[in-house]
């Protein structure tokens, strides 16, 4: 049997793996698998299609249904262009804070979950504890669905509920927005810009779609929200363009323009509704383009879809987390998580984890030691609950 590591030690180890979403996470997965194997815990991998990444899940406790899943993700966002005061992949303590990429989002929770899983295996529980660690959460929660489906088909006992440990300051989050992302390619027709009326600028046509996004945001913000939508911040659906590229020279109408657009939807609306509205606007613009040149077009690929987390009446996950935290407040978030994906596959789900989402993705990201300690107490209370 190996040496058990503390949550702090586990956090330091996990942060040392630079698992930026664009890169492989296999070094971290290798280490987690080996660490669990030291204690006799068998982990199961679920690789991505090209084998460069993998999710992992494991089970501790009796082989019976009705346990608890602790769900986290292994990937982090890039540090490129950010002004860090310390090495982002070395946990550095200063003024009661632990600095490092992923300390808050969400390797702090991953460390706590790993610690709890080993504790459950070594000291025993009467109800199972399971750990699920996905890839590519940061680019649209794309790694979780195949992992969840694999878990359900594996013969491993089906858990009753899941706690997704995104940073919530250890508050009980029972709802979040749904979202969808679309890669858009506007294909124009090149001519000299002095004759631009005979060509189609992909950039200028893309700008019409981006301006549609601005118009939708202004309209949505101006409308009074429903009672359910009003508890979100902001209380309306947002349309966002995060990246754009295109064109070859200042005096050529651009042949190509690529941009990514996403929706974050309040409960009264759905990503599918907004997809349909976006496609309708695309069709109008595409018709205008093809009236100038028939070879122009707009191509769209949906690259993520994250269902919203719906508050559950009498939900087992909410009841347990409120019992363990003592939190009776109403909390929802505008960011997406894997909780909605677990929920749509039959699990009761809630979000609760250490850290403040305001620190996520920021230079000098940190998790306070107080939040890590509060998370450790939560896990201890969870283990006691599973022994009852």
């Amino acid at each position: 049997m190996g040496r058990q590591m503390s949550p702090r030690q586990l956090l330091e180890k996990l942060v040392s793996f630079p698992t930026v979403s664009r890169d492989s996470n296999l070094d971290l997965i290798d280490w987690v698998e080996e660490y669990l194997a030291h204690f006799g815990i068998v982990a199961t991998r679920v690789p991505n299609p090209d084998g460069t990444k993998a999710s992992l899940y494991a089970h501790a406790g009796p082989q019976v249904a009705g346990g608890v899943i602790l769900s986290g993700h292994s990937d982090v966002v890039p540090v490129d262009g950010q002004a860090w005061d310390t090495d982002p992949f070395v946990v550095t303590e200063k003024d009661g804070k632990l600095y490092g990429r992923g300390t808050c989002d969400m390797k702090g929770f991953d460390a706590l979950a790993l610690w709890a899983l080993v504790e459950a295996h070594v000291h025993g529980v009467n109800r199972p504890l399971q750990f699920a660690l996905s890839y590519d959460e940061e680019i649209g929660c794309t790694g979780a669905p195949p992992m969840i489906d694999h878990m359900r088909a594996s013969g491993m006992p089906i858990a009753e509920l899941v706690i997704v440990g995104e940073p919530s300051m250890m508050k009980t989050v029972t709802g979040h927005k749904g979202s969808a992302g679309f890669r858009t390619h506007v294909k124009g027709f090149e001519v000299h810009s002095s004759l631009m009326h005979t060509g189609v600028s992909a950039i200028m046509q893309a700008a019409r779609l981006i301006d549609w996004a601005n118009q939708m945001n202004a309209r949505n913000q101006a409308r009074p929200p429903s009672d359910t939508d009003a508890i979100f911040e902001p209380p309306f659906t947002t349309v966002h363009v995060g990246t754009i590229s295109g064109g070859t020279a200042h005096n050529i109408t651009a042949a190509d323009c690529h941009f990514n657009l996403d929706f974050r939807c309040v409960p009264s609306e759905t990503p599918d509704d907004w997809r349909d509205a976006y496609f309708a606007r695309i069709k109008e613009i595409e018709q205008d383009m093809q009236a100038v040149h028939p070879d122009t077009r707009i191509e769209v690929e949906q690259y993520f879809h994250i269902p919203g987390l719906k508050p559950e009446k009498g939900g087992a996950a909410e009841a347990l987390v409120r019992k363990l935290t003592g939190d009776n407040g109403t909390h929802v978030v505008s960011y997406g998580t894997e909780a909605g994906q677990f929920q749509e596959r039959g699990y009761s789900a809630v979000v609760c984890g250490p850290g403040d989402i305001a620190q996520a993705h920021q230079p000098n990201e940190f998790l306070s030691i107080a939040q890590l300690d509060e998370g450790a107490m939560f896990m201890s209370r969870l283990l006691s609950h599973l022994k009852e």
Side-chain angles (χ1 to χ4, degrees):
M1 182 177 293
R3 179 180 64 86
Q4 286 184 247
M5 297 172 70
S6 68
R8 170 72 176 269
Q9 290 169 328
L10 287 164
L11 174 60
E12 291 172 351
K13 186 65 180 181
L14 294 175
V15 169
S16 73
F17 295 103
T19 50
V20 176
S21 299
R22 66 183 174 221
D23 302 321
S24 174
N25 71 338
L26 293 183
D27 287 346
L28 181 148
I29 293 297
D30 288 343
W31 185 84
V32 170
E33 189 174 54
E34 292 170 6
Y35 178 71
L36 294 177
H38 287 317
F39 303 96
I41 301 173
V42 177
T44 300
R45 293 190 186 207
V46 184
N48 70 344
D50 65 11
T52 58
K53 301 178 183 181
S55 296
L56 175 149
Y57 62 86
H59 175 103
Q63 293 294 312
V64 297
V68 174
I69 298 172
L70 300 175
S71 173
H73 61 80
S74 62
D75 57 318
V76 297
V77 297
V79 299
D80 308 47
Q82 294 187 334
W84 281 75
D85 297 331
T86 62
D87 185 334
F89 298 108
V90 175
V91 173
T92 303
E93 179 180 345
K94 182 180 179 181
D95 299 328
K97 300 171 182 176
L98 302 173
Y99 290 88
R101 173 55 86 222
T103 50
C104 175
D105 185 19
M106 60 177 300
K107 291 179 176 178
F109 180 82
D110 295 340
L112 292 164
L114 271 174
W115 175 83
L117 188 74
V118 172
E119 285 287 306
H121 178 78
V122 171
H123 298 292
V125 285
N126 294 322
R127 282 175 285 177
L129 183 64
Q130 298 172 354
F131 176 51
L133 184 65
S134 70
Y135 62 85
D136 285 358
E137 189 274 347
E138 296 291 2
I139 57 175
C141 294
T142 58
M147 175 187 67
I148 302 167
D149 293 342
H150 199 280
M151 292 171 69
R152 293 187 68 86
S154 69
M156 185 175 74
I158 302 296
E160 177 185 22
L161 62 94
V162 58
I163 301 168
V164 177
E166 291 284 354
S168 73
M169 295 296 288
M170 298 306 299
K171 300 299 183 182
T172 308
V173 172
T174 58
H176 65 64
K177 291 183 176 181
S179 58
F182 298 87
R183 294 189 180 98
T184 304
H185 174 204
V186 181
K187 182 65 178 176
F189 181 70
E190 288 182 316
V191 297
H192 193 283
S193 61
S194 65
L195 299 172
M196 64 177 292
H197 66 291
T198 64
V200 177
S201 168
I203 290 176
M204 296 182 74
Q205 298 303 318
R208 295 175 67 188
L209 283 170
I210 295 170
D211 187 53
W212 175 83
N214 289 327
Q215 293 173 27
M216 293 301 100
N217 285 327
R219 187 198 70 175
N220 292 348
Q221 187 169 6
R223 291 188 303 190
S226 70
D227 291 344
T228 301
D229 297 345
I231 63 177
F232 286 84
E233 177 58 37
F236 54 88
T237 293
T238 56
V239 192
H240 176 252
V241 174
T243 61
I244 185 170
S245 63
T248 55
H250 79 279
N251 58 352
I252 303 173
T253 58
D256 297 282
C257 184
H258 299 263
F259 64 91
N260 289 353
L261 178 145
D262 65 67
F263 303 99
R264 294 181 183 268
C265 303
V266 289
S268 63
E269 301 168 353
T270 71
D272 289 347
D273 294 335
W274 278 97
R275 176 201 61 205
D276 293 346
Y278 184 46
F279 281 21
R281 183 59 179 142
I282 286 172
K283 184 176 180 180
E284 294 172 352
I285 293 175
E286 192 174 54
Q287 288 174 344
D288 292 344
M289 294 166 57
Q290 291 176 350
V292 178
H293 198 283
D295 292 339
T296 58
R297 62 190 181 275
I298 301 176
E299 301 169 342
V300 182
E301 174 195 3
Q302 183 169 345
Y303 68 99
F304 75 82
H305 178 277
I306 305 173
L309 175 65
K310 301 173 184 178
E312 302 167 356
K313 187 175 182 179
E318 177 183 351
L320 174 60
V321 171
R322 290 197 186 283
K323 173 184 175 182
L324 299 179
T325 62
D327 172 33
N328 291 313
T330 299
H331 309 286
V332 297
V333 294
S334 292
Y335 57 82
T337 80
E338 297 167 347
Q341 294 170 326
F342 276 98
Q343 188 180 64
E344 72 174 2
R345 286 163 172 79
Y347 296 92
S348 178
V350 73
V351 176
C352 183
D356 187 342
I357 193 63
Q359 295 303 318
H361 305 181
Q362 298 298 307
N364 298 319
E365 176 184 351
F366 70 82
L367 175 67
S368 72
I369 294 175
Q371 277 288 291
L372 185 65
D373 290 345
E374 188 172 341
M377 290 187 287
F378 174 91
M379 292 300 175
S380 293
R381 290 192 289 267
L382 173 61
L383 291 169
S384 296
H385 168 78
L386 294 174
K387 291 177 182 178
E388 294 174 356

